[in-house]
Amino acid sequence: MGASLDLALRMTFQLRVCLVFATVRIVTLTDPSHPNQVILLDTTAVLGELGWMTYPVNGWDAITEMDEQNRPIHTFQVCHVMEPNQNNWLRSNWIPRQAAQKVYVELRFTLRDCNSIPWVSGTCKETFNLLYLESDEPHGPGARFHAADYGKIDTIAADESFTQTDLGDRVLRLNTEVREVGPIARKGFYLAFQDVGACIALVSVRVYYKKCPSTLRNLAAFPDTVPRMDSSSLVEVRGACVENAEERDTPKLYCGADGDWLVPLGRCVCSIGHEENDGLCLACRASFYKAFAGNIKCSKCPPHSFSHSEASALCHCEKGFYRAAKDPPTTACTRPPSSPRNLVYNINETTLLLEWDPPGDTGGRKDLTYNVVCRRCGGPGQPCDPCVSDVRFIPRPVGLTRTSVAVQDFMANANYTFQIEALNGVSGMGRAARQVANITISTEQAGPSLVGMVRRDWSSQNSIALSWQEADQPHAAILDYEIKYYEKEQEQLSYSSTRTKVPSAIVTGLKPSTVYIFHVRARTAAGYSSYSPKFEFSTGDEDSEEVSDQGQVLVIVTAAVGGFSLLVILTLFLLITGRCQWYIKSKLKSEDKRRTQYQNGHVPFPGIKTYVDPDTYEDPSQAVHDFAKEIDPSRIRIERVIGAGEFGEVCSGRLRTPGKKETPVAIKTLKGGYTERQRRDFLREASIMGQFDNPNIIRLEGVVTKSRPVMIVVEYMENGSLDSFLRKHDGHFTVIQLVGMLRGIASGMMYLSDIGYVHRDLAARNILVDDNLVCKVSDFGLSRVLEDDPEAAYTTTGGKIPIRWTAPEAIQYRKFSSASDVWSYGIVMWEVMSYGERPYWEMSNQDVILSIEEGYRLPAPMGCPVALHQLMLHCWQKERSQRPRFHDVVSFLDKLIRNPSSLLTLVEDVHSLPESPEDMPDYPLFISIGDWLDSIKMSQYKNNFIAAGYTTLDSISSMSIDDVRRIGVSLIGHQRRIVSSIQTLRLQLLHVQQSGFHV
Ligand code: ADE
């Protein structure tokens, strides 16, 4: 027994040596270094004694050796393989769990395989047990060890044992095993290792828990975070912006169970004066600035500005340079302009024209304007006074953008000094002297002297007849007189004026029982006289008939002459438009029966096929299959991208057909990542288009559905969409060419309405033009087109509708029909005749709806034949059954094309009445110039009209485009809009006169 024990001990000792120190090489199977681990215990890092408990004391051995750097290597060994019933315990010190809920225990050990030990009996084991015990504090020194208190974590077996290499080395395989322990509820725990008769060397024990380590992401700092026990739920962590950064969207990360950060959301951006560098926000250097928070770099100071300090949000202007209040900090600093150059004048009859050149130095700005200061000087040595308000400047005395101004109503025989000052957005900043150009002008020609006494000849409720004495000795022929008048009560708040060539006038349109003030002045080639003193006269009351005999004669004569003129004008108008009107009327009658059906829905023509709604198919891909040819993608060559559709790019390319010439095509693609619904919606257009066969409808070549990308291939239209094509070629076409385009569109629409298809989004942007100017209707797909159309807006009923193009009944209660398509067609006519102008200009959608409801209709575009505007007005009948059908439209346009002289009468040439007042749409009656300009969104020109003496609607009705230009409307688009509206107004005025109203 003693000999065998001795042998056993010797062997145990040898084995210990073999276990640990006979190792020639240690092969590490795993890499234990992880930054997301918080170490609670690492035996390899403990410098002093470990002080672990063994039970019984001769079970586990603690062996501490020193490595090359003189650091201790703590090893625990046990190898009682020869003795049965082993129960040897090794217990760690108390390990506080800190923030951990779950801990990981990593053991590195060697375990000898029993077969490799000579003479071992069946008592040899190849496993050991790992156990733990939770407690809130370490057990006291005298506490007894109770093995039963420990809970088992796992039985640990070796993966590897001693092995022999080919070279005969003895290689000790070091096992690494990791076990999870938790949840741990108490403040700490003990680990225990139970040996039941194995030969083990425990080389190291590491205990750690996992955390998501503090990190910087998207300029936000995230703290160390311990994951949840439950590995499927993440911990949401809010980041804090780094210094000099600010939140855009709340920065967030999620901490996963393995200590990895997941799903970054939100971000911070560097504040003003700071830029991002290596995850931090650093101050801009001197001479650089950053005016806005964001992840952009600091910029160099703009010209004429500087920043001496770091972290500048703004660069300051150099001396003498400024920024206007509205200038962004990114712009260069600028200065006031120098004075205008080469100021000259030219007197032409009653107008003095001042002209100059722009200043040599604009100060670096583009917002140059000019102000005119006028002074009138008496004789030599006499002082100069500011010009009184009766000198008129056209377009105005201040804020001029052109380098000229016309002066009117100046006094004859006077000296004037004019100063022209150039200004820009920074004029008046700083103390720089004003830079002006001066000129002194003498109006040498003698002007007329004062008008004599003004008398009232008679008055009625609404009129006063005046006469006055001619100037005593006029030095020049009097061209005319101007009578300025206003209500005494209103005293100059607003005034009206009228002109007459004789020294008398009947001022009409006055209020009954109201006192008016009158001034009269004369005009000769040399200019105006000053106004006469004021004369007060009142109109009669409602009951009085204070009209002199002479007055009655005048009224009767005026009425007779007026009536006769109206008769002549009316006859002329009937001659011009009668044929068209008659045509439309007779056509309307013959179609009356069909119209009722048309109003209620589609009635197919016998023998004409009917459109099939692909949505009625149970399987939408069957509709595609039925109506569209599948094209082999190898036949398609894509050449370039020409646009972007809702579903993907639109490209141009070529389509090869065996035995035929390659054809140019447009290819609509469906971008990757689409849903089934998007694919169905995309292909719906092909199932619709594939049913059409008409030269004015875009032709479908086929589809690619069996490979990616999914494509719709249609004929190529060289000139793209009609609206942009017209805008690009403004004014380039003859009326006949434009009518030809309109005829094509109407013919395409006639085909669609015949087969029962309602387009719902007919607009110039949805018409394509080929290189022969043939127009074809495109963009099909029912509701989808409206989603796609940038013009479509949501109505109060929730639908998305292109308001400006849509008939009122379709907007109000979604009654879409071929009749509502006809309304849209009228708008397309207007778009074509105005070369792509936006219908109703900048009016809001809400205002468009209201004004249509009130009876307002778009006026004829400039240069539009009367016949076409009449057709537009018919398309815009409120009552949809009254609108023409597309058949009517096509034959009407055909007649016009066959008889081009019918297109010669332009709206601006018509000074007569329409065929009958019932045919006139119910236009609103404007009451003042201001209202009228407001209604066409041209209010900015109110002062130009008033300053030029156009104070009544009557007075503007004879204005030509030249007049409009002359009063200072310089933009061609605005000139057009005003002139078109004047033409319509002229018709309205005639209509109103005929009905006996006064405007
Ligand atoms: N843009 C959209 N469709 C087109 C087509 N068919 N031809 C030319 N340009 C287009």
Side-chain angles (χ1 to χ4, degrees):
M1 170 73 185
S4 72
L5 184 65
D6 182 52
L7 178 67
L9 279 174
R10 261 204 337 270
M11 280 195 62
T12 306
F13 174 73
Q14 282 166 1
L15 277 170
R16 267 185 201 153
V17 173
C18 294
L19 277 168
V20 183
F21 302 108
T23 312
V24 179
R25 277 184 288 137
I26 291 181
V27 180
T28 307
L29 296 176
T30 54
D31 176 11
S33 63
H34 286 293
N36 55 353
Q37 294 176 0
V38 180
I39 307 294
L40 297 176
L41 166 70
D42 183 354
T43 55
T44 62
V46 177
L47 295 180
E49 281 297 311
L50 267 178
W52 284 15
M53 190 210 87
T54 56
Y55 179 83
V57 282
N58 62 349
W60 288 83
D61 260 350
I63 297 171
T64 302
E65 301 289 331
M66 291 298 172
D67 71 4
E68 312 84 68
Q69 276 107 37
N70 221 18
R71 280 185 316 218
I73 304 171
H74 302 285
T75 310
F76 295 94
Q77 301 182 6
V78 65
C79 195
H80 302 291
V81 287
M82 301 294 184
E83 298 145 63
N85 305 324
Q86 290 298 305
N87 188 14
N88 304 310
W89 288 79
L90 169 68
R91 195 202 68 184
S92 72
N93 294 337
W94 186 74
I95 306 165
R97 78 167 161 92
Q98 300 181 10
Q101 296 179 356
K102 174 164 81 175
V103 297
Y104 296 81
V105 180
E106 181 199 82
L107 306 177
R108 301 172 85 208
F109 61 94
T110 60
L111 213 161
R112 261 204 81 167
D113 107 48
C114 292
N115 289 334
S116 70
I117 308 171
W119 310 296
V120 293
S121 63
T123 57
C124 176
K125 301 285 186 308
E126 291 181 347
T127 61
F128 63 96
N129 294 322
L130 175 65
L131 304 98
Y132 80 116
L133 171 66
E134 287 188 50
S135 69
D136 281 329
E137 52 190 22
H139 297 165
R144 288 199 52 188
F145 175 74
H146 289 287
D149 294 345
Y150 286 77
K152 185 163 161 185
I153 299 169
D154 205 358
T155 297
I156 311 289
D159 292 335
E160 310 281 345
S161 307
F162 282 115
T163 41
Q164 202 83 25
T165 68
D166 295 344
L167 299 171
D169 285 349
R170 302 197 64 207
V171 174
L172 179 60
R173 292 282 185 193
L174 187 64
N175 297 283
T176 303
E177 293 287 329
V178 180
R179 295 291 181 272
E180 288 178 18
V181 186
I184 298 176
R186 301 279 176 87
K187 288 190 183 147
F189 58 94
Y190 290 98
L191 285 179
F193 305 86
Q194 182 193 23
D195 164 52
V196 287
C199 196
I200 313 164
L202 190 56
V203 177
S204 76
V205 179
R206 279 175 77 242
V207 181
Y208 58 87
Y209 67 89
K210 287 188 180 170
K211 65 166 184 186
C212 295
S214 60
T215 186
L216 286 180
R217 286 279 172 97
N218 294 336
L219 294 176
F222 296 85
D224 277 346
T225 303
V226 181
R228 293 232 165 84
M229 254 304 284
D230 163 16
S231 55
S232 63
S233 64
L234 306 177
V235 182
E236 183 189 295
V237 183
R238 247 189 100 136
C241 291
V242 298
E243 211 178 333
N244 299 312
E246 53 201 66
E247 263 186 33
R248 273 295 168 269
D249 297 311
T250 309
K252 274 188 209 160
L253 280 177
Y254 290 86
C255 177
D258 280 335
D260 299 322
W261 289 110
L262 309 167
V263 209
L265 296 176
R267 67 196 176 111
C268 301
V269 294
C270 290
S271 306
I272 55 175
H274 294 80
E275 64 186 350
E276 202 254 315
N277 198 326
D278 251 355
L280 298 173
C281 291
L282 305 183
C284 300
R285 289 171 288 149
S287 298
F288 282 78
Y289 77 106
K290 198 181 114 186
F292 307 103
N295 285 342
I296 42 166
K297 290 283 176 198
C298 301
S299 311
K300 196 140 183 52
C301 286
H304 303 297
S305 68
F306 63 89
S307 76
H308 289 321
S309 56
E310 290 194 333
S312 293
L314 188 71
C315 297
H316 300 286
C317 290
E318 289 167 6
K319 192 156 185 277
F321 287 86
Y322 312 92
R323 277 202 189 92
K326 283 192 183 145
D327 287 352
T330 47
T331 53
C333 294
T334 52
R335 60 181 168 191
S338 56
S339 60
R341 295 168 303 153
N342 308 328
L343 173 58
V344 291
Y345 76 95
N346 184 12
I347 298 185
N348 178 8
E349 295 196 345
T350 57
T351 304
L352 164 65
L353 188 67
L354 295 170
E355 288 180 297
W356 57 92
D357 288 336
D361 175 11
T362 61
R365 303 184 63 91
K366 293 209 172 79
D367 54 353
L368 208 56
T369 58
Y370 304 95
N371 287 352
V372 188
V373 177
C374 166
R375 290 169 157 268
R376 182 150 64 96
C377 307
Q382 298 223 317
C384 297
D385 298 316
C387 295
V388 279
S389 56
D390 54 2
V391 172
R392 282 196 297 144
F393 294 90
I394 295 171
R396 61 193 162 268
V398 293
L400 298 166
T401 49
R402 300 256 190 103
T403 53
S404 63
V405 66
V407 187
Q408 288 186 337
D409 300 359
F410 49 83
M411 302 294 292
N413 268 336
N415 289 329
Y416 286 94
T417 304
F418 294 97
Q419 283 187 334
I420 311 290
E421 183 184 9
L423 298 119
N424 64 17
V426 295
S427 292
M429 295 180 145
R431 269 183 244 115
R434 290 169 63 225
Q435 301 283 313
V436 295
N438 286 294
I439 198 163
T440 301
I441 297 163
S442 159
T443 53
E444 277 161 12
Q445 286 166 288
S449 34
L450 283 175
V451 166
M453 170 80 179
V454 177
R455 280 191 310 118
R456 181 185 71 161
D457 294 331
W458 54 265
S459 63
S460 69
Q461 286 173 33
N462 304 107
S463 314
I464 295 178
L466 304 170
S467 60
W468 52 90
Q469 287 159 353
E470 274 204 26
D472 279 348
Q473 293 165 326
H475 299 278
I478 290 176
L479 300 174
D480 55 23
Y481 295 93
E482 186 192 32
I483 305 111
K484 170 169 128 179
Y485 60 98
Y486 46 89
E487 279 178 48
K488 190 179 177 193
E489 292 281 289
Q490 305 284 316
E491 193 74 14
Q492 289 277 26
L493 269 183
S494 67
Y495 65 84
S496 306
S497 68
T498 182
R499 283 165 208 260
T500 166
K501 287 190 186 306
V502 293
S504 63
I506 302 171
V507 180
T508 56
L510 305 178
K511 290 191 197 158
S513 307
T514 307
V515 179
Y516 284 87
I517 306 286
F518 296 87
H519 300 269
V520 182
R521 63 177 176 172
R523 186 172 68 102
T524 69
Y528 279 101
S529 72
S530 47
Y531 277 111
S532 68
K534 50 182 171 177
F535 291 90
E536 272 185 41
F537 303 116
S538 67
T539 48
D541 61 28
E542 318 255 344
D543 308 321
S544 76
E545 271 311 321
E546 192 201 335
V547 177
S548 71
D549 286 346
Q550 186 194 3
Q552 279 171 358
V553 170
L554 255 172
V555 170
I556 292 161
V557 170
T558 312
V561 170
F564 180 72
S565 322
L566 275 180
L567 208 62
V568 171
I569 290 165
L570 182 64
T571 315
L572 264 176
F573 187 86
L574 284 173
L575 283 174
I576 293 164
T577 59
R579 292 181 57 167
C580 311
Q581 297 287 333
W582 168 84
Y583 175 75
I584 290 183
K585 281 242 159 85
S586 60
K587 196 76 187 163
L588 289 181
K589 261 192 204 132
S590 72
E591 297 287 338
D592 254 351
K593 231 165 109 197
R594 284 227 322 260
R595 187 177 309 291
T596 321
Q597 296 167 325
Y598 166 66
Q599 180 189 345
N600 296 328
H602 168 64
V603 177
F605 284 73
I608 291 188
K609 70 170 182 183
T610 305
Y611 159 76
V612 181
D613 182 352
D615 287 347
T616 57
Y617 273 72
E618 210 168 274
D619 173 11
S621 52
Q622 185 58 40
V624 181
H625 184 261
D626 284 358
F627 299 123
K629 266 190 288 184
E630 180 73 27
I631 299 180
D632 183 334
S634 65
R635 288 177 49 209
I636 301 168
R637 180 153 49 92
I638 295 182
E639 284 171 342
R640 62 199 169 86
V641 176
I642 53 173
E646 194 205 350
F647 294 99
E649 273 120 12
V650 181
C651 307
S652 62
R654 309 246 150 205
L655 177 69
R656 262 186 302 105
T657 308
K660 281 196 188 160
K661 238 176 64 191
E662 273 192 336
T663 33
V665 285
I667 304 143
K668 294 185 174 188
T669 58
L670 174 61
K671 58 177 172 256
Y674 51 79
T675 61
E676 195 40 46
R677 192 201 159 106
Q678 283 170 324
R679 180 188 144 93
R680 202 179 59 217
D681 285 351
F682 174 71
L683 289 172
R684 184 202 277 135
E685 179 167 28
S687 345
I688 295 170
M689 229 188 301
Q691 300 183 45
F692 305 149
D693 180 12
N694 181 274
N696 294 105
I697 305 288
I698 204 82
R699 189 183 65 252
L700 175 74
E701 296 288 357
V703 290
V704 177
T705 62
K706 302 213 163 98
S707 60
R708 303 280 170 281
V710 174
M711 297 186 245
I712 298 179
V713 182
V714 299
E715 67 177 308
Y716 182 66
M717 301 289 283
E718 289 76 4
N719 281 313
S721 61
L722 178 59
D723 61 338
S724 45
F725 174 67
L726 288 170
R727 276 181 220 125
K728 207 158 97 200
H729 298 97
D730 193 352
H732 285 189
F733 301 115
T734 61
V735 168
I736 283 288
Q737 281 176 309
L738 296 176
V739 175
M741 295 182 202
L742 290 174
R743 200 264 176 209
I745 302 165
S747 171
M749 289 307 297
M750 176 172 81
Y751 170 84
L752 291 180
S753 68
D754 280 350
I755 66 167
Y757 179 82
V758 178
H759 192 291
R760 297 176 177 219
D761 198 13
L762 179 60
R765 64 183 167 280
N766 292 332
I767 304 292
L768 291 165
V769 188
D770 75 7
D771 55 357
N772 287 320
L773 295 191
V774 175
C775 289
K776 307 199 181 191
V777 181
S778 82
D779 262 71
F780 306 95
L782 298 165
S783 55
R784 208 257 324 137
V785 273
L786 298 178
E787 290 306 317
D788 194 11
D789 192 336
E791 281 295 344
Y794 285 103
T795 59
T796 46
T797 47
K800 213 176 174 204
I801 283 177
I803 301 291
R804 285 153 213 270
W805 283 262
T806 305
E809 75 276 12
I811 295 175
Q812 279 161 26
Y813 49 95
R814 300 184 70 74
K815 178 71 201 161
F816 285 96
S817 60
S818 291
S820 63
D821 277 351
V822 166
W823 178 291
S824 313
Y825 177 80
I827 304 287
V828 173
M829 285 185 76
W830 191 90
E831 292 185 273
V832 169
M833 298 315 293
S834 61
Y835 282 94
E837 175 73 278
R838 180 168 168 72
Y840 312 93
W841 310 281
E842 290 83 33
M843 280 167 76
S844 69
N845 279 345
Q846 198 50 40
D847 286 351
V848 171
I849 293 172
L850 286 176
S851 61
I852 291 296
E853 201 44 46
E854 281 169 28
Y856 177 81
R857 297 294 184 269
L858 283 166
M862 202 172 78
C864 175
V866 173
L868 292 179
H869 190 230
Q870 290 284 303
L871 178 57
M872 292 178 208
L873 295 173
H874 277 282
C875 293
W876 301 328
Q877 298 272 10
K878 186 175 171 52
E879 181 54 52
R880 69 178 188 280
S881 63
Q882 301 295 310
R883 294 173 204 153
R885 294 167 52 92
F886 281 116
H887 277 270
D888 306 325
V889 174
V890 171
S891 20
F892 180 66
L893 293 177
D894 280 343
K895 285 219 167 90
L896 294 182
I897 293 168
R898 265 186 261 122
N899 176 16
S901 61
S902 60
L903 294 164
L904 292 178
T905 317
L906 308 185
V907 173
E908 49 263 58
D909 301 327
V910 176
H911 296 270
S912 60
L913 285 168
E915 189 188 27
S916 82
E918 295 87 70
D919 283 346
M920 277 303 295
D922 198 7
Y923 289 108
L925 304 178
F926 302 111
I927 45 169
S928 72
I929 294 276
D931 287 349
W932 165 64
L933 287 169
D934 288 345
S935 78
I936 57 166
K937 303 272 171 203
M938 292 277 103
S939 330
Q940 69 268 41
Y941 296 115
K942 235 176 255 180
N943 289 340
N944 299 48
F945 279 82
I946 305 287
Y950 294 106
T951 50
T952 62
L953 287 181
D954 239 323
S955 65
I956 61 153
S957 68
S958 59
M959 280 179 92
S960 68
I961 189 145
D962 283 335
D963 296 328
V964 173
R965 211 173 285 137
R966 209 169 296 125
I967 65 164
V969 179
S970 50
L971 295 176
I972 182 87
H974 291 183
Q975 290 169 5
R976 276 203 188 142
R977 192 183 304 176
I978 290 169
V979 170
S980 308
S981 179
I982 288 175
Q983 287 150 12
T984 311
L985 203 62
R986 202 179 288 149
L987 291 174
Q988 291 168 21
L989 287 170
L990 283 163
H991 172 51
V992 165
Q993 280 169 12
Q994 201 211 26
S995 343
F997 291 109
H998 287 279
V999 180

